[in-house]
Amino acid sequence: MKQLKKNIRQVGICLCALFVLLAGYGAYNMIVNGNRWFSSSVNTFARQQKKNVIAGDVLDRGGVLLATTVEGKREYAADEATRKAVVHVVGDSDANVNNGVESFMASYLYGFNMGFGERLSSVFRGDSRMGDTVQLTIDSRLSAYIAGIFPAGKAGAVVVMNYKTGEVLSSQSFPNFDPMNITYAVKNDPQKPFYNRAVQGLYTPGSTFKIVTAASALQNMQDVQSRAFQCTGIREYGPRIITDAGTDLESGKITQHGQLTLLRAFQVSCNNTFAGLATELGDEKLKKTAEAFGFNDNFLFRDLVVENSSYPTSNRNEGEIAWTGAGQSALTASPLHMCMIAASVANDGVMMEPRLLLSATSSQGTLRTEFAPKVYRTVMTESQAAVLQEYMRAVVTGGTGTAANISGVRVCGKTGSAEVDTQEETNAWFLGYLDEEESPYALAIVVEEGGGGGSVAAPAAKKIFQWMLENGYAD
């Protein structure tokens, strides 16, 4: 009998422990994935609750009204250019945009965080329940400016963030659309304007990935900065022939850089040098560095949903490994993730989690939550980041990114012209940042079928940085 009681007691303790663990996991899951649950289409409770609540307002970082409720209908910014520039962040009332603030931050906008006392008080007052006001990190003025200078008729994306805090100042996808005038043409546009390329688009990063290849070389090759590399302009790696930009095998024209250092190879974006580095490093070491930068990770950010970037794990022959080192092969990454990579170089190797939410405030003025920066991970040492900072500065002062240079300002960057088998033109990339203590801002630009990163994306980056410096983004 005593043994039976002891066994029952032990079972009871185990059951209690399991219950505590389950409750703890549930609480943790709501903290980490709460927004995903509230915005899920299978959450019938949330859909029902939305019918009984007047959705709160959405403001930009300067207090500009981006979304509000008028007579039960959702309305957006008064200015059409602003509406279009922020639509992929804010979303729309019909949820054409996946995971916009209108759905992903529903827990605040529809009052799900309202306490029992607040609910009871609104009942006694006879007031309709009001959702919280959400203020975002984005700048609608900056976003409207970027939308105005992005190459007309082209698809692509731009992301701008504070590399010290992770605040996303602009996240744009092109083409965009007016959430208050969704026409038949918009719905059937082959360029898919509802698709949020900034966070959903998975692009070949092209030569912008050479930041990662260079980082891996710095981590694994002791003498790599002092070595002399030889570029003949064309080299075979197994079944793949790798050439440098400007080479035309049919006409016999070959671009070769001759003897060069790693810095110079980075500056002129030498494919052959970086392909050779990848094969010398080996796939495992390059993959390990890429994964430290976030490739193959499951992005579970608090404020926004971002598609996972991938480093290829199949078909890893010599040619594909070499092509990966140059930023091609089966590599894919979102513009937001590539912006995070540039930001991590600028921030001495520390990658911040991207944040969209500045604050959420109840209709009675109660502060629900406010912005707090969060480190995503440390991707490299401070000394390694310092070398890449020097390299990215050299790209802008005397390399492929000179079109991004601003007199008297330290602009750093890396261009990319990513080849896509199904396209005639390359995708034009530029990653960059301001190396200015009072202006800690990084950006990523991709223009689909734009051509050269140095001739198309870099000039756009210059305009964006200039606008920021002239409009309150410098102390």
PDB file of all heavy atoms in Angstrom, residues 16-34:
ATOM      1  N   CYS A  16       2.054  17.188 -12.793  1.00  0.00           N
ATOM      2  CA  CYS A  16       2.140  18.631 -12.473  1.00  0.00           C
ATOM      3  C   CYS A  16       3.292  19.280 -13.224  1.00  0.00           C
ATOM      4  O   CYS A  16       3.166  20.392 -13.755  1.00  0.00           O
ATOM      5  CB  CYS A  16       2.317  18.823 -10.971  1.00  0.00           C
ATOM      6  SG  CYS A  16       0.824  18.473 -10.007  1.00  0.00           S
ATOM      7  N   ALA A  17       4.441  18.576 -13.265  1.00  0.00           N
ATOM      8  CA  ALA A  17       5.606  19.115 -13.969  1.00  0.00           C
ATOM      9  C   ALA A  17       5.315  19.269 -15.454  1.00  0.00           C
ATOM     10  O   ALA A  17       5.679  20.276 -16.078  1.00  0.00           O
ATOM     11  CB  ALA A  17       6.805  18.194 -13.753  1.00  0.00           C
ATOM     12  N   LEU A  18       4.649  18.267 -16.032  1.00  0.00           N
ATOM     13  CA  LEU A  18       4.296  18.342 -17.442  1.00  0.00           C
ATOM     14  C   LEU A  18       3.334  19.492 -17.719  1.00  0.00           C
ATOM     15  O   LEU A  18       3.441  20.186 -18.743  1.00  0.00           O
ATOM     16  CB  LEU A  18       3.669  17.018 -17.904  1.00  0.00           C
ATOM     17  CG  LEU A  18       4.631  15.830 -18.043  1.00  0.00           C
ATOM     18  CD1 LEU A  18       3.835  14.550 -18.293  1.00  0.00           C
ATOM     19  CD2 LEU A  18       5.613  16.075 -19.187  1.00  0.00           C
ATOM     20  N   PHE A  19       2.390  19.707 -16.806  1.00  0.00           N
ATOM     21  CA  PHE A  19       1.435  20.806 -16.946  1.00  0.00           C
ATOM     22  C   PHE A  19       2.162  22.149 -16.911  1.00  0.00           C
ATOM     23  O   PHE A  19       1.881  23.049 -17.720  1.00  0.00           O
ATOM     24  CB  PHE A  19       0.388  20.744 -15.833  1.00  0.00           C
ATOM     25  CG  PHE A  19      -0.617  21.864 -15.894  1.00  0.00           C
ATOM     26  CD1 PHE A  19      -1.667  21.825 -16.797  1.00  0.00           C
ATOM     27  CD2 PHE A  19      -0.491  22.967 -15.067  1.00  0.00           C
ATOM     28  CE1 PHE A  19      -2.582  22.865 -16.870  1.00  0.00           C
ATOM     29  CE2 PHE A  19      -1.395  24.009 -15.130  1.00  0.00           C
ATOM     30  CZ  PHE A  19      -2.457  23.955 -16.038  1.00  0.00           C
ATOM     31  N   VAL A  20       3.119  22.285 -15.976  1.00  0.00           N
ATOM     32  CA  VAL A  20       3.892  23.528 -15.876  1.00  0.00           C
ATOM     33  C   VAL A  20       4.697  23.761 -17.152  1.00  0.00           C
ATOM     34  O   VAL A  20       4.753  24.876 -17.677  1.00  0.00           O
ATOM     35  CB  VAL A  20       4.817  23.492 -14.641  1.00  0.00           C
ATOM     36  CG1 VAL A  20       5.790  24.677 -14.665  1.00  0.00           C
ATOM     37  CG2 VAL A  20       3.996  23.521 -13.366  1.00  0.00           C
ATOM     38  N   LEU A  21       5.318  22.685 -17.653  1.00  0.00           N
ATOM     39  CA  LEU A  21       6.083  22.793 -18.892  1.00  0.00           C
ATOM     40  C   LEU A  21       5.194  23.198 -20.066  1.00  0.00           C
ATOM     41  O   LEU A  21       5.566  24.041 -20.895  1.00  0.00           O
ATOM     42  CB  LEU A  21       6.770  21.462 -19.205  1.00  0.00           C
ATOM     43  CG  LEU A  21       8.003  21.109 -18.373  1.00  0.00           C
ATOM     44  CD1 LEU A  21       8.448  19.682 -18.656  1.00  0.00           C
ATOM     45  CD2 LEU A  21       9.141  22.087 -18.676  1.00  0.00           C
ATOM     46  N   LEU A  22       3.994  22.594 -20.130  1.00  0.00           N
ATOM     47  CA  LEU A  22       3.065  22.916 -21.207  1.00  0.00           C
ATOM     48  C   LEU A  22       2.621  24.367 -21.123  1.00  0.00           C
ATOM     49  O   LEU A  22       2.567  25.080 -22.138  1.00  0.00           O
ATOM     50  CB  LEU A  22       1.844  21.986 -21.135  1.00  0.00           C
ATOM     51  CG  LEU A  22       0.798  22.158 -22.245  1.00  0.00           C
ATOM     52  CD1 LEU A  22       1.415  21.838 -23.603  1.00  0.00           C
ATOM     53  CD2 LEU A  22      -0.405  21.252 -21.984  1.00  0.00           C
ATOM     54  N   ALA A  23       2.323  24.823 -19.907  1.00  0.00           N
ATOM     55  CA  ALA A  23       1.909  26.215 -19.711  1.00  0.00           C
ATOM     56  C   ALA A  23       3.047  27.168 -20.072  1.00  0.00           C
ATOM     57  O   ALA A  23       2.838  28.208 -20.708  1.00  0.00           O
ATOM     58  CB  ALA A  23       1.465  26.428 -18.271  1.00  0.00           C
ATOM     59  N   GLY A  24       4.259  26.782 -19.648  1.00  0.00           N
ATOM     60  CA  GLY A  24       5.423  27.609 -19.956  1.00  0.00           C
ATOM     61  C   GLY A  24       5.676  27.708 -21.449  1.00  0.00           C
ATOM     62  O   GLY A  24       5.959  28.783 -21.982  1.00  0.00           O
ATOM     63  N   TYR A  25       5.540  26.557 -22.128  1.00  0.00           N
ATOM     64  CA  TYR A  25       5.737  26.561 -23.576  1.00  0.00           C
ATOM     65  C   TYR A  25       4.657  27.395 -24.266  1.00  0.00           C
ATOM     66  O   TYR A  25       4.936  28.132 -25.215  1.00  0.00           O
ATOM     67  CB  TYR A  25       5.710  25.134 -24.126  1.00  0.00           C
ATOM     68  CG  TYR A  25       5.789  25.094 -25.636  1.00  0.00           C
ATOM     69  CD1 TYR A  25       6.990  25.321 -26.293  1.00  0.00           C
ATOM     70  CD2 TYR A  25       4.639  24.859 -26.404  1.00  0.00           C
ATOM     71  CE1 TYR A  25       7.061  25.308 -27.679  1.00  0.00           C
ATOM     72  CE2 TYR A  25       4.710  24.842 -27.787  1.00  0.00           C
ATOM     73  CZ  TYR A  25       5.926  25.061 -28.419  1.00  0.00           C
ATOM     74  OH  TYR A  25       5.985  25.056 -29.789  1.00  0.00           O
ATOM     75  N   GLY A  26       3.426  27.287 -23.768  1.00  0.00           N
ATOM     76  CA  GLY A  26       2.341  28.067 -24.344  1.00  0.00           C
ATOM     77  C   GLY A  26       2.593  29.557 -24.203  1.00  0.00           C
ATOM     78  O   GLY A  26       2.378  30.325 -25.146  1.00  0.00           O
ATOM     79  N   ALA A  27       3.067  29.965 -23.004  1.00  0.00           N
ATOM     80  CA  ALA A  27       3.369  31.384 -22.785  1.00  0.00           C
ATOM     81  C   ALA A  27       4.505  31.842 -23.698  1.00  0.00           C
ATOM     82  O   ALA A  27       4.448  32.915 -24.314  1.00  0.00           O
ATOM     83  CB  ALA A  27       3.733  31.605 -21.318  1.00  0.00           C
ATOM     84  N   TYR A  28       5.562  31.003 -23.781  1.00  0.00           N
ATOM     85  CA  TYR A  28       6.691  31.335 -24.645  1.00  0.00           C
ATOM     86  C   TYR A  28       6.243  31.445 -26.100  1.00  0.00           C
ATOM     87  O   TYR A  28       6.620  32.371 -26.821  1.00  0.00           O
ATOM     88  CB  TYR A  28       7.769  30.259 -24.509  1.00  0.00           C
ATOM     89  CG  TYR A  28       8.842  30.327 -25.562  1.00  0.00           C
ATOM     90  CD1 TYR A  28       9.887  31.248 -25.472  1.00  0.00           C
ATOM     91  CD2 TYR A  28       8.805  29.472 -26.674  1.00  0.00           C
ATOM     92  CE1 TYR A  28      10.860  31.322 -26.445  1.00  0.00           C
ATOM     93  CE2 TYR A  28       9.783  29.548 -27.660  1.00  0.00           C
ATOM     94  CZ  TYR A  28      10.813  30.466 -27.539  1.00  0.00           C
ATOM     95  OH  TYR A  28      11.773  30.533 -28.514  1.00  0.00           O
ATOM     96  N   ASN A  29       5.405  30.506 -26.528  1.00  0.00           N
ATOM     97  CA  ASN A  29       4.941  30.488 -27.914  1.00  0.00           C
ATOM     98  C   ASN A  29       4.097  31.721 -28.227  1.00  0.00           C
ATOM     99  O   ASN A  29       4.178  32.273 -29.331  1.00  0.00           O
ATOM    100  CB  ASN A  29       4.137  29.213 -28.171  1.00  0.00           C
ATOM    101  CG  ASN A  29       4.026  28.897 -29.652  1.00  0.00           C
ATOM    102  OD1 ASN A  29       4.975  29.064 -30.385  1.00  0.00           O
ATOM    103  ND2 ASN A  29       2.857  28.444 -30.071  1.00  0.00           N
ATOM    104  N   MET A  30       3.306  32.172 -27.275  1.00  0.00           N
ATOM    105  CA  MET A  30       2.487  33.369 -27.508  1.00  0.00           C
ATOM    106  C   MET A  30       3.369  34.616 -27.604  1.00  0.00           C
ATOM    107  O   MET A  30       3.089  35.527 -28.382  1.00  0.00           O
ATOM    108  CB  MET A  30       1.459  33.536 -26.380  1.00  0.00           C
ATOM    109  CG  MET A  30       0.285  32.583 -26.493  1.00  0.00           C
ATOM    110  SD  MET A  30      -0.587  32.702 -28.089  1.00  0.00           S
ATOM    111  CE  MET A  30      -1.244  34.355 -27.975  1.00  0.00           C
ATOM    112  N   ILE A  31       4.465  34.644 -26.814  1.00  0.00           N
ATOM    113  CA  ILE A  31       5.372  35.790 -26.869  1.00  0.00           C
ATOM    114  C   ILE A  31       6.099  35.820 -28.207  1.00  0.00           C
ATOM    115  O   ILE A  31       6.200  36.845 -28.868  1.00  0.00           O
ATOM    116  CB  ILE A  31       6.388  35.731 -25.708  1.00  0.00           C
ATOM    117  CG1 ILE A  31       5.667  35.963 -24.366  1.00  0.00           C
ATOM    118  CG2 ILE A  31       7.491  36.772 -25.892  1.00  0.00           C
ATOM    119  CD1 ILE A  31       6.531  35.693 -23.154  1.00  0.00           C
ATOM    120  N   VAL A  32       6.620  34.649 -28.627  1.00  0.00           N
ATOM    121  CA  VAL A  32       7.413  34.579 -29.846  1.00  0.00           C
ATOM    122  C   VAL A  32       6.546  34.597 -31.102  1.00  0.00           C
ATOM    123  O   VAL A  32       6.844  35.276 -32.077  1.00  0.00           O
ATOM    124  CB  VAL A  32       8.293  33.302 -29.837  1.00  0.00           C
ATOM    125  CG1 VAL A  32       9.028  33.137 -31.158  1.00  0.00           C
ATOM    126  CG2 VAL A  32       9.277  33.354 -28.672  1.00  0.00           C
ATOM    127  N   ASN A  33       5.434  33.838 -31.074  1.00  0.00           N
ATOM    128  CA  ASN A  33       4.618  33.657 -32.275  1.00  0.00           C
ATOM    129  C   ASN A  33       3.216  34.231 -32.151  1.00  0.00           C
ATOM    130  O   ASN A  33       2.347  33.911 -32.962  1.00  0.00           O
ATOM    131  CB  ASN A  33       4.506  32.168 -32.612  1.00  0.00           C
ATOM    132  CG  ASN A  33       5.849  31.550 -32.929  1.00  0.00           C
ATOM    133  OD1 ASN A  33       6.608  32.104 -33.705  1.00  0.00           O
ATOM    134  ND2 ASN A  33       6.149  30.411 -32.337  1.00  0.00           N
ATOM    135  N   GLY A  34       2.992  35.072 -31.139  1.00  0.00           N
ATOM    136  CA  GLY A  34       1.645  35.589 -30.910  1.00  0.00           C
ATOM    137  C   GLY A  34       1.061  36.308 -32.104  1.00  0.00           C
ATOM    138  O   GLY A  34      -0.092  36.077 -32.484  1.00  0.00           O
TER     139      GLY A  34
END
